[in-house]
Amino acid sequence: MTPTIQVPVPNRTQPFWLQERHALTDHVAAQEVPTEADIVIVGSGISGATCAHYLYKELQKRGSSSRQLKVVLLEADALCEGATARNGGHCKPLAFLGFRADAKRHGTKAANDALVFEASHLARYTSIVQEESLDCDLYATRAFDIFFDAEDAEQGRLDYEARKELFPQAMQDADIRAVYDREELCRLSGVKGGLWGAHYPAGHLWPYKFCTQLIEKQIQRGLQLYTHTPVQSIESPSSGVHLVHTPRGTIQAKSIIITTNGYTAHLLPELAEKIIPVRGTVCSITPAPSHQLGSSPGPFRYTYGMRKRAGESDYLIPRQGRGLSGVGDQSIILGGAKGVFLAKTEEWYNNVREDQLISGTREYFEKFMSHRFDGWSQGHQSIDRIWTGILGYSTDLLPFIGALPTRPEGIFLSAGFTGHGMPRIPGCSAAIVKLALAHFEGRQLASAQAAFEEVLPAPYLLTQKRLDEKENLILGYMGHQGGQEAEMTPAEEGTARAHL
């Protein structure tokens, strides 16, 4: 299946998160882009916004004057109206799922390091929100992973127990607790029919507000923002010189950070078979009377990941108010519905039709709450909004972070988050910014690369070897028949344990 290069479509479905647009929605610093810039960031979603944040933070730590560095952020659309404005707002790390498969592919230490990295991100979001005084409804709670299929539950349990045996301190530090008793699982989570589950710290926020306010703060520090300014191409006529062509003019830059995720192949066609746009769907729901204050069982307290079988998962966050907990909007954000459309590959794989809903997903969401949650008021169906969005899936299921080996020095990539960017992106942005700054400043790149590799999970690193890999694990990961999927047999599991 050879993907074609895709670009965003007009007249897209409208998500919950865009009902309150920021004043900088259509901001342009000037009618024409500057002819020169020190660093150009492409994309204004969570990756682009956090890259800008960490860039100015790094400059401040070094005692540099941020206004002496010319940084330009280019966005093809309105500010932050791509995938970030269409996701579930869920900062839920992987705690153990896939541990054995990742141990097989990358080694037990690398598999554990990646999970530790994800678990650190709730603290990262908290730190950014507090430092920058962002009003984005960040709420820290716990997440439940709940399994409904016996075989899938068994695989989840084996992942949990394998990581716990090999890395007990990491599991304790992350406060991951399994629930083996079905009645106890229902009592704790409020979810009916679960066979096995676990819970651990997680959080949620209003992603659009997080990003737009974060970018606004960087503009105050000198960032130049150009919305509705698509990058048409990147040309590198000589060493250390890159030309960024846009309809508003051409920028000559020394360092470029590309954060375009599902649309990366538009700028980097050599990655057309490595990062694939995948269509997903999300909705917002008004809580039933049974799940509002003063009723029983009352408001939701936790977030959820609910798995029917491989690939078929749903997730849910319960908003806790607007600005202050318990005050204002308390919508439920529910995403997934994959069981409705996974068998129809053309509905989601290499599909960017954000202007259309996926057939059958509204009906799925309308029945979901009463089907899954104990005590949900019968007959209550209130899908307020439903929308689609484009995720960037990498063919090996892991993000590509680092300097592009296919281009001259100075072009960096942070993309391919495979629908799981919230608990990965800020840490990746912090790392890539230091690498881009080192290149701009002409410092020792070997030592900068070594420091970069120290802070990121090894499987995330963008290497020529990863780009040369021919396998595509996406279909198998999504439970699609005939797709490749990394699995671990009991014998291989024993081998992985022996490698510790």
Side-chain angles (χ1 to χ4, degrees), residues 264-280:
T264 297
H266 175 65
L267 290 182
L268 304 172
E270 64 266 35
L271 296 184
E273 295 190 14
K274 304 306 296 182
I275 299 178
I276 312 296
V278 165
R279 188 166 65 148

Side-chain angles (χ1 to χ4, degrees), residues 197 379 397:
L397 309 178

Side-chain angles (χ1 to χ4, degrees), residues 103-253:
K104 176 187 175 183
R105 292 176 62 78
H106 307 294
T108 54
K109 182 181 183 302
N112 184 67
D113 287 348
L115 300 180
V116 171
F117 181 79
E118 291 195 21
S120 72
H121 273 72
L122 184 57
R124 277 192 180 272
Y125 282 106
T126 302
S127 176
I128 294 172
V129 168
Q130 290 175 336
E131 287 176 14
E132 300 281 18
S133 300
L134 305 182
D135 175 20
C136 62
D137 301 343
L138 175 64
Y139 186 78
T141 180
R142 294 183 74 82
F144 271 88
D145 281 329
I146 300 177
F147 298 76
F148 300 97
D149 175 79
E151 175 58 25
D152 199 42
E154 177 66 6
Q155 294 304 314
R157 182 187 67 79
L158 290 172
D159 277 336
Y160 170 86
E161 292 177 354
R163 189 184 179 210
K164 187 174 182 179
E165 181 178 339
L166 291 169
F167 299 97
Q169 190 60 53
M171 292 285 276
Q172 182 177 326
D173 292 344
D175 192 16
I176 305 166
R177 309 177 203 173
V179 184
Y180 290 83
D181 183 82
R182 298 180 188 182
E183 291 185 3
E184 178 74 356
L185 182 61
C186 180
R187 186 185 68 80
L188 286 172
S189 68
V191 176
K192 301 183 290 187
L195 303 181
W196 185 83
H199 57 97
Y200 45 86
H204 53 86
L205 49 72
W206 191 309
Y208 173 81
K209 289 184 180 295
F210 173 83
C211 289
T212 54
Q213 292 174 30
L214 193 57
I215 288 171
E216 181 181 24
K217 297 285 185 178
Q218 310 325 308
I219 289 174
Q220 295 167 7
R221 296 176 178 122
L223 176 71
Q224 296 183 34
L225 168 65
Y226 291 82
T227 64
H228 303 288
T229 308
V231 175
Q232 297 163 316
S233 64
I234 296 172
E235 183 185 0
S236 303
S238 59
S239 177
V241 176
H242 305 292
L243 302 179
V244 182
H245 299 289
T246 83
R248 298 183 189 275
T250 296
I251 307 172
Q252 179 176 309

